[in-house]
Amino acid sequence: MKIYKLALDRGLSRGNKSSHLLASCLYIICRTESTQHILLDFCDHVEADISTLARIYLRLARVLSINVPHTDPCLLIPRYAAKLDFGDRTNAVSNTALRIVQRMQRDWLNIGRRSSGLCGSALLFAARMHNFNRTIQQIVDVVKISKATIIRRLQEFETTPTAQLNMKEFNTIELEEEQDPPAFSKAKRMAKLAQHEESFNIEQIEREILDTQKQIDDQLEKLHKPRGQLAK
């Protein structure tokens, strides 16, 4: 209510439905209090598009100078796991997914990524580790994020040492080293590839120059040979 009153005083209610503004205020509090609610919950409740509520809540946070913390993926794991029907193994799968998410955070996979994507990929890995056949589409239906995002998070995690451990090693070994952030690793690979391509291009140009020089020499040698009536 305090945030709502401040929003009214600043004129932030103009052009926005009161239900949308109230939902945005509640979402900000849920973020600061670290609850398991996500923005889609409020969208379903007030029947609003997610982009509309996102725009309002971001404007509220900016104008009112509210430092909204990032959503901790660990808070959402139990919620999503309960919807995937793991039965009496729900807690075990959730704990494995929590360990995977913590490892992702240590390897910088959470920077600039939505929490839903991390939770979805972690739950898919955890389900497979506990012999549950869950498809990517089933994960997408629960966490409400695109299949491409889930696949991208899986590909990023597969490059880390943690993904190379078996179930027993994963539960007993705690890796201490950290990996470079995906964006940094990608930039290094691109720079190395560009350097290789540049070296390859230089070698190719040198070969082309030598071939051209040989052709020029051959043509000059033919021109210097006297032939026919005009030889003199």
Side-chain angles (χ1 to χ4, degrees):
M1 286 302 298
K2 290 180 180 178
I3 295 177
Y4 183 70
K5 290 178 180 178
L6 288 173
L8 293 180
D9 293 339
R10 297 291 185 89
L12 298 178
S13 61
R14 298 191 189 97
N16 298 317
K17 292 183 178 180
S18 58
S19 59
H20 295 178
L21 187 60
L22 285 168
S24 301
C25 295
L26 284 171
Y27 178 66
I28 290 176
I29 294 302
C30 288
R31 287 278 293 267
T32 56
E33 295 295 330
S34 300
T35 69
Q36 292 185 352
H37 299 87
I38 60 176
L39 191 57
L40 278 173
D41 296 334
F42 296 94
C43 293
D44 296 337
H45 190 71
V46 299
E47 297 181 353
D49 187 77
I50 189 171
S51 60
T52 301
L53 287 192
R55 175 180 53 81
I56 297 173
Y57 120 77
L58 289 173
R59 188 183 177 199
L60 281 174
R62 184 180 69 254
V63 174
L64 302 180
S65 300
I66 301 174
N67 185 19
V68 182
H70 295 288
T71 303
D72 188 355
C74 297
L75 295 173
L76 303 177
I77 288 290
R79 167 187 171 147
Y80 292 142
K83 295 182 179 181
L84 287 168
D85 192 22
F86 294 122
D88 56 355
R89 301 287 296 167
T90 300
N91 288 336
V93 175
S94 296
N95 291 334
T96 301
L98 287 172
R99 285 176 59 85
I100 293 174
V101 167
Q102 291 170 355
R103 186 64 211 188
M104 286 179 171
Q105 292 173 330
R106 195 178 306 170
D107 289 333
W108 300 84
L109 299 184
N110 63 319
I111 303 300
R113 269 73 174 169
R114 292 179 60 183
S115 300
S116 300
L118 297 179
C119 294
S121 57
L123 281 169
L124 183 60
F125 267 118
R128 300 285 176 83
M129 292 171 71
H130 288 273
N131 298 319
F132 286 101
N133 186 19
R134 296 293 181 268
T135 64
I136 295 179
Q137 187 58 50
Q138 288 176 302
I139 300 295
V140 168
D141 293 339
V142 170
V143 301
K144 307 298 182 184
I145 202 166
S146 68
K147 184 181 293 187
T149 301
I150 297 291
I151 294 175
R152 200 174 301 118
R153 296 295 89 81
L154 293 173
Q155 292 172 341
E156 291 174 352
F157 183 68
E158 284 176 349
T159 61
T160 65
T162 304
Q164 313 307 319
L165 302 176
N166 57 39
M167 187 68 175
K168 182 178 179 180
E169 293 172 340
F170 179 79
N171 291 326
T172 56
I173 298 176
E174 189 67 30
L175 299 176
E176 296 182 358
E177 72 276 5
E178 296 180 358
Q179 298 298 303
D180 293 329
F184 182 74
S185 300
K186 183 179 179 180
K188 285 173 59 178
R189 291 196 302 270
M190 295 298 292
K192 186 176 180 180
L193 180 62
Q195 184 179 5
H196 174 72
E197 290 180 350
E198 182 179 358
S199 175
F200 175 76
N201 289 336
I202 292 175
E203 294 177 357
Q204 184 179 7
I205 291 172
E206 288 178 347
R207 288 197 299 268
E208 291 177 357
I209 290 174
L210 291 175
D211 292 340
T212 305
Q213 183 178 358
K214 185 176 184 301
Q215 293 176 11
I216 293 173
D217 291 340
D218 292 341
Q219 293 296 328
L220 289 175
E221 186 177 354
K222 292 179 181 178
L223 291 175
H224 292 159
K225 290 182 178 179
R227 60 180 183 272
Q229 296 181 356
L230 303 177
K232 294 183 180 182

